[in-house]
Amino acid sequence: MGNRPPLRALYAFEAAARHGSFKAAAAELGVTPTAISHQVRLLEEICGLKLFQRRPRPLVLTSAGARLFPILRNAFDLLAGSLAAVAEPDVQAPLRVTSPNAFASRWLVPRLPKWREANPAIPLEIIGTDALLDLRAGAADVAIRYTRRPPLGLAAHEICRDSFFPVCSPRLLASDGRAIERAADLLRYPLIHFDWMNRDPDAPTWSRWLATARSIDPELIPDKAWDLSFREELHAIDAVVAGQGIAICSDVVVGRELENGSLVKAHPLSLPGYSFYVVWMHHSPRSAVKESFLAWMRTAA
């Protein structure tokens, strides 16, 4: 036991390295930043090496710290998985899957009967939320993440990537009686906008679409106010389906509506979207069940 480093020091270093901040690590562990600093210095004394470059901002790992961090991160993940395995969870317990709201409602839920047909012994609990639930804390077993790159520190598997283009109800176009032949023709109709909570400056919004379309149709109005704006993407989609205007939507999220004709492309110009990833913690329990869910998602996509 005498050769084992203090667990508090290991936790403090791993949290500080993961967050890139003593302050954030302290908030996670419920201590002060000074306590984190003392524990890191203790670990450095034990190792005989500096683990962080002492700068005000940002906190940067030394080469020794960069070697130690992934070892500790994987060790803690393995420990968490081992403790969960010891608990022997009921194989009949639902697999808890968290997903962005719009994807859960428009893509995942309509396909769940196929899951039950293929996996009748594995119930699912779908947690629709646009918040990023903490898998490390056990908030869910599997997450569907919508992002440009694979999430770090998790087993991540890409399912599909989407594109965005203007969509509307065919009833809206029929009510006008005139065909859309150019990008500027879209401005005859109400434009529906929804908030991008991730604040990505490159998000596929009306602003970006109009800026791109202006290169091929100079008559587009430089700045047009949105006729209708929603905080929630699902509400914007509902308004489009109801014939209230045109929105920039994901071809994955509204794929079912495009297939059944309740929505149509209003213009072929598209913007690149993001990828949908199925992710879970490394070395976590019920790996066979998670692999089954991943395989089904790939088939359903």
Side-chain angles (χ1 to χ4, degrees):
M1 295 289 291
N3 293 328
R4 296 182 181 179
L7 192 57
R8 288 182 181 178
L10 297 177
Y11 275 131
F13 168 75
E14 190 275 340
R18 177 160 38 85
H19 288 291
S21 163
F22 283 177
K23 183 177 180 180
E28 177 183 316
L29 298 179
V31 296
T32 64
T34 300
I36 295 292
S37 178
H38 287 166
Q39 291 296 330
V40 169
R41 288 188 183 277
L42 174 60
L43 189 59
E44 288 177 330
E45 292 175 4
I46 294 172
C47 295
L49 295 167
K50 293 292 184 183
L51 300 176
F52 288 106
Q53 297 179 22
R54 291 300 194 270
R55 298 178 179 177
R57 290 185 183 86
L59 194 60
V60 178
L61 289 166
T62 64
S63 58
R67 293 194 302 272
L68 180 59
F69 172 52
I71 296 172
L72 282 182
R73 180 190 60 204
N74 293 338
F76 288 147
D77 287 347
L78 179 59
L79 179 60
S82 299
L83 290 174
V86 169
E88 296 182 353
D90 185 355
V91 294
Q92 299 299 321
L95 182 70
R96 298 168 303 154
V97 179
T98 176
S99 165
N101 271 318
F103 184 81
S105 176
R106 296 282 172 170
W107 193 97
L108 183 56
V109 170
R111 289 168 169 79
L112 290 182
K114 295 294 185 182
W115 166 265
R116 290 194 295 272
E117 289 177 11
N119 302 275
I122 308 175
L124 295 180
E125 178 184 338
I126 306 301
I127 308 169
T129 176
D130 293 326
L132 293 182
L133 299 189
D134 189 352
L135 299 185
R136 181 187 291 270
D141 303 309
V142 174
I144 298 170
R145 294 281 168 83
Y146 185 53
T147 179
R148 292 197 187 278
R149 300 174 186 84
L152 298 177
L154 298 168
H157 312 271
E158 187 179 38
I159 299 301
C160 60
R161 179 176 288 270
D162 63 0
S163 297
F164 283 74
F165 42 76
V167 299
C168 65
S169 166
R171 292 182 285 113
L172 179 70
L173 301 182
S175 67
D176 181 80
R178 292 177 289 174
I180 294 178
E181 298 178 348
R182 53 194 298 185
D185 292 341
L186 270 64
L187 303 185
R188 299 199 304 260
Y189 304 92
L191 301 187
I192 296 175
H193 169 78
F194 61 88
D195 286 350
W196 280 84
M197 302 308 292
N198 62 4
R199 307 303 181 193
D200 182 357
D202 295 324
T205 60
W206 268 120
S207 295
R208 278 201 64 213
W209 191 91
L210 291 171
T212 303
R214 202 168 295 125
S215 64
I216 59 176
D217 191 349
E219 292 187 17
L220 273 173
I221 297 174
D223 292 300
K224 183 182 187 301
W226 319 130
D227 298 284
L228 194 56
S229 184
F230 293 94
R231 179 68 59 87
E232 298 291 338
E233 181 180 3
L234 279 173
H235 297 161
I237 294 172
D238 287 340
V240 175
V241 173
Q244 296 179 21
I246 303 175
I248 303 291
C249 292
S250 161
D251 60 349
V252 171
V253 172
V254 299
R256 188 172 52 135
E257 288 76 12
L258 291 170
E259 289 178 6
N260 64 29
S262 58
L263 291 179
V264 296
K265 289 185 181 181
H267 193 279
L269 178 64
S270 65
L271 296 175
Y274 303 79
S275 286
F276 293 90
Y277 292 91
V278 173
V279 306
W280 58 75
M281 295 290 297
H282 291 291
H283 312 297
S284 55
R286 306 185 73 186
S287 59
V289 174
K290 294 172 183 176
E291 291 288 350
S292 295
F293 180 76
L294 171 62
W296 175 78
M297 284 285 291
R298 284 177 166 160
T299 301

